[in-house]
Every structure is written in structure tokens, then in C-alpha cells.
Amino acid sequence: MANLQVKICGLTFRNPILPAAGPPSKDGASLQAAARGGAGGLVTKTISVRPAEVPRPCLAEIRGGFLNTELWSELPKEQWMAMEYDLARAMGLPVIVGLGYTAEQIRELAPLVRHFADALELSTHYVGNNVAPIIDALRAAKDIVDVPVFVKLSPHPNIQEIALALEDAGADALVMINSFGPCLGIDLETGLPLMGSKDGLGWLSGAAIKPLALRCVYEAARAVRIPIFGVGGISNGRDAAEMLMAGASAVQVCTAAILNGPTIYAKIATELATFLDGHHYGSVDEISGLTVRLMRERGAPHAEGAPKVDMERCVLCGMCEKSCTNGAIHQDKQAKVVEISEEKCSHCGLCVTRCKLRAITMPQ
């Protein structure tokens, strides 16, 4: 079986699947449940100098994703010091303590949590695209603690610029991405927004943001040498493998843990191990950054002709024929054959991605 253990910034994680700062890590009991559920390490919900006042309702499942108006921890920092961090540390896993947001707030909080933290994760969700306040917060933490300091980023358009600036300023690792937004969901029965915020807007997470998260991780990984924790839309082992290939050294899970409970961490880890074994990889390290390396060596894929159909895999579901906008695919159920016209095919690749049985492949 493939080795799932990863080492990042001197910390050893039994597997690369961690909770992300959020509802699944809202207190010590939740963190203990995550550890028992198979998480490789623990990330606590972000605290700030004052407890958050979260508008209600604050969570909603939507088609293809998830909306939230979650903020930082609703528990006072004193309660975290008195009991929640100790409950997390009792599980024997590395504990990454989440802090936010400004340099001034970090200076107040970092000395309080340094005893409990194997590393810090600084959230910059509400800072904006200007890198200066993010660097100020990082330096405030680095001046106080002697443990690794990770910085969590929103999906900034200038992600490489910010990643490089943070690496230069001493960040030990990056965490990306946070929820994307603001976004809007509407209850069709009432006509009102799904979220209870003042303007009805929320933040998008879950499967809908995975391509965005992959892009951010991939671009940052091409620019920096420090490790990256990939976050956004990971709900199974293949999602985790994809994020690792994009350049992550480990991943964090939030929405899937909300929807499925804390056993999701072990499920994802097991599925990741199955993927690694099935593709003859010996460890997580072998696929971490694989896409970055392959793109440097080979460049982007280029189709050389129409896709090919493996009839031993094909079940004649008709999905490829239905969605071919060029009319290039013809299925003959009597003859049990699927034919793709080279003349009509535009080599778009849609049929390849739609076939869940991988019966259609694109020649390279």
C-alpha cells in the first residue's frame, strides 16, 4: 500500500487530509472527532480578538456547491485557551492554530496561542488584493513565535505575485484557497436570499470552486518553493490526488466534512491510497507537483486526431453521442459499436471527459 505520510515544515502528518478552518473544526470536540475520523492533522477554526457574530442562516447547500456566511470562531479566545486547544492536542496529531486578521490582532493573539500551536495559519480572507497588510500580519507572527507560519489566501487574481511576496517575507507555507465571493443564492419559495447577512450575500465553497482552487495552487506552485496546502472542493480521493498533482503537499477539507461528517477524512485518505496503488505510485510525494513538472517537461497536451473508443469498456450509454455538438459520434446498439467520424470531429475532448468508464481516450 502506498505511503500516505507527509512531512511539511518539520511536521509529520499521518496522511495529507486535514480539516480546514471552519465549522468542522469549531471547537475541541469537533477537532477530536476529526482525529478519530481519520484526519492526518488538525487545523483549528480561526480565532480573532473578539468572537464572531455570524448572521443566520449561514449555511446552504446549492446545486454544485455550497454557500456560507461563516466568519471566524464564535467562541471567545479565552475559551480556546482554557480548554479547546488542549482537547485538540490530546489527540496526538500536529495542531495548526488559525488566527486572524490584521497585524495588530496577530500581535495580540500569537503570544496567547504559541504554547498550543505546532504551526500557525493566518487567515487573510478579508484583507483584499493588497499584499502589504498580509505581509504585515505575517511578520507580526514571525516576530513572536518560533513555529512555522502558514498564510491562507483568497483566490486573488494576482496569486503568483502575492505568493512570491509572502515567500520572500518568510512564510513557511501557503494555504489556498478560501471561499470565493460574494455570491448569491435565492430561495424560490420566498424570493429571499438563502443567507442571513445584511445584503443577503454569501461565499461560495465546495465542488464549484475546485477548478479555481486548482488554478491558484498550480500557479503558486510554479512560482514558489515553499509547501502549499490545497483547499477547495475536495470530497474524494481523486479530488485530493488532483490537488496534489497541481502542486499541493497536503489538502484541507471543509464543505465535504460539513455534509458528510468527520469520517470523510478517512474515506478520502483511503480513496487516495487506492488511487496511488492503482497507478503504481509508492507515496504522496510522487504525485505532489506532478502536473507542474510535466508541463515544464512536455507542455500542454495536444490532440492528434479524433478520440478512440474502447468497446470492451463501453456500455453504449449514449452520453457521448448526445452531447457531441458536431454530430461526429454515432452509436449502433445492434452492432454494439460506437464510431467517431474523423471528418466531423473537432477534437474538442468533451466526450473523453463525459465518459465515466474511461472508454474514450484522446490520442496524443
Side-chain angles (χ1 to χ4, degrees):
M1 183 173 178
N3 179 16
L4 292 186
Q5 186 181 91
V6 293
K7 295 183 179 180
I8 303 172
C9 299
L11 304 178
T12 300
F13 301 93
R14 63 184 180 185
N15 67 61
I17 317 300
L18 283 63
S25 59
K26 66 179 183 178
D27 56 23
S30 298
L31 290 159
Q32 289 194 333
R36 288 191 293 268
L42 300 175
V43 182
T44 70
K45 192 169 185 181
T46 304
I47 66 166
S48 196
V49 293
R50 294 182 304 278
E53 296 181 10
V54 178
R56 310 285 177 171
C58 61
L59 301 174
E61 185 176 18
I62 61 173
R63 184 176 180 180
F66 200 80
L67 283 179
N68 75 86
T69 55
E70 279 288 310
L71 300 173
W72 57 95
S73 176
E74 300 155 78
L75 303 179
K77 60 182 183 299
E78 292 81 8
Q79 181 173 336
W80 280 95
M81 308 315 154
M83 60 182 295
E84 312 301 341
Y85 290 134
D86 282 333
L87 289 172
R89 291 204 63 82
M91 303 309 291
L93 299 177
V95 175
I96 303 170
V97 172
L99 298 182
Y101 291 86
T102 67
E104 182 180 3
Q105 292 168 334
I106 298 301
R107 287 190 191 94
E108 179 177 342
L109 295 167
L112 302 177
V113 304
R114 66 199 305 176
H115 172 69
F116 305 100
D118 294 305
L120 296 183
E121 178 181 289
L122 308 184
S123 179
T124 63
H125 190 46
Y126 305 102
V127 174
N129 287 326
N130 182 9
V131 70
I134 304 176
I135 290 177
D136 289 343
L138 169 63
R139 287 174 174 163
K142 296 288 286 186
D143 286 344
I144 294 169
V145 301
D146 56 2
V147 297
V149 179
F150 310 151
V151 183
K152 187 171 186 177
L153 299 174
S154 295
H156 302 282
N158 56 333
I159 199 75
Q160 282 193 334
E161 175 188 336
I162 294 176
L164 281 167
L166 288 169
E167 182 179 46
D168 290 344
D172 296 288
L174 302 175
V175 183
M176 57 178 67
I177 57 173
N178 221 317
S179 301
F180 174 78
C183 297
L184 178 65
I186 294 175
D187 183 343
L188 291 178
E189 300 305 316
T190 66
L192 292 170
L194 293 172
M195 297 289 96
S197 57
K198 183 178 179 181
D199 53 11
L201 301 179
W203 299 86
L204 183 66
S205 65
I209 71 166
K210 190 182 80 170
L212 178 59
L214 285 168
R215 187 272 292 177
C216 290
V217 170
Y218 173 68
E219 288 196 346
R222 291 191 298 163
V224 302
R225 296 182 179 180
I226 56 177
I228 299 172
F229 292 81
V231 194
I234 297 166
S235 59
N236 56 55
R238 294 183 70 88
D239 291 336
E242 195 173 359
M243 190 68 77
L244 291 163
M245 287 182 179
S249 297
V251 303
Q252 296 181 6
V253 178
C254 184
T255 299
I258 294 173
L259 295 175
N260 298 286
T263 58
I264 190 66
Y265 307 111
K267 180 177 181 293
I268 295 174
T270 299
E271 290 173 351
L272 175 61
T274 299
F275 171 84
L276 294 172
D277 289 341
H279 290 76
H280 308 292
Y281 293 115
S283 69
V284 172
D285 290 339
E286 288 185 33
I287 66 168
S288 180
L290 178 61
T291 302
V292 177
R293 296 192 296 273
L294 289 176
M295 284 294 287
R296 286 173 180 161
E297 295 168 5
R298 305 180 191 176
H302 179 70
E304 298 287 351
K308 306 300 180 185
V309 182
D310 181 351
M311 292 310 302
E312 291 187 3
R313 289 175 176 261
C314 178
V315 295
L316 298 172
C317 69
M319 188 179 295
C320 58
E321 182 180 26
K322 183 188 301 182
S323 59
C324 180
T325 58
N326 299 300
I329 303 177
H330 174 68
Q331 175 180 270
D332 187 333
K333 286 196 173 182
Q334 283 191 331
K336 295 185 178 180
V337 65
V338 175
E339 296 178 340
I340 301 180
S341 168
E342 180 70 55
E343 182 180 351
K344 293 182 179 179
C345 179
S346 67
H347 313 161
C348 72
L350 176 60
C351 58
V352 176
T353 61
R354 293 211 75 195
C355 183
K356 305 309 177 189
L357 297 177
R358 301 183 67 83
I360 308 176
T361 55
M362 186 72 79
Q364 301 295 321

